[in-house]
Amino acid sequence: MTPLKRTMAQANFHRAGLESVIIQLAGKAEAILPCLAKGAFDLVFLDTDRSQYPSWWPSIRALLSTRGLLVVDNAISHHHELEDWMTEVAQDPGFQQLLLPIGKGEWLLVKNP
Ligand SMILES: C[S@@+](CC[C@H](N)C(=O)[O-])C[C@H]1O[C@@H](n2cnc3c(N)ncnc32)[C@H](O)[C@@H]1O
């Protein structure tokens, strides 16, 4: 993300009155994801480099809390890029999943208790 976008995001957090509860982390996801607290995230929204999702999946899987929700954007618009990974993840008994045909296609995964 560019410095301008980071500044815009921070301004939006401020306008929403949420600056004190949001920590913005800037950097490569592959460097940041393994350092975050496992089981501590109730919501993860994935909308970045789709080719990296398979290698990021073990970290993301571990970060989600019980009943945590993962939302994957572009699950219909770029299905051809995601289908191998989606097929693999859909077989994971630790999650329930639903493909929502809104926008560009949102794939929802909820971590089972
Ligand atoms: C489709 S855009 C996301 C747009 C964002 N959801 C928004 O509404 O502004 C993809 C973003 O992922 C970032 N990105 C690409 N590879 C990344 C990586 N390895 N780690 C972190 N961010 C990455 C790009 O810089 C870009 O800002």
Side-chain angles (χ1 to χ4, degrees), residues 41-43 64-70 95 109-112:
F41 291 82
D42 295 331
L43 173 66
L64 285 164
S65 61
T66 299
R67 297 193 181 86
L69 173 66
L70 170 65
F95 287 83
L109 292 135
V110 176
K111 196 175 199 176
N112 291 329

Side-chain angles (χ1 to χ4, degrees), residues 1-2 5 27-30 45 47-50 52 56 73-74:
M1 191 184 281
T2 63
K5 281 193 172 180
K28 290 287 184 189
E30 52 272 30
F45 181 64
D47 180 27
T48 173
D49 181 353
R50 288 176 290 278
Q52 301 278 359
W56 295 350
D73 197 21
N74 303 105

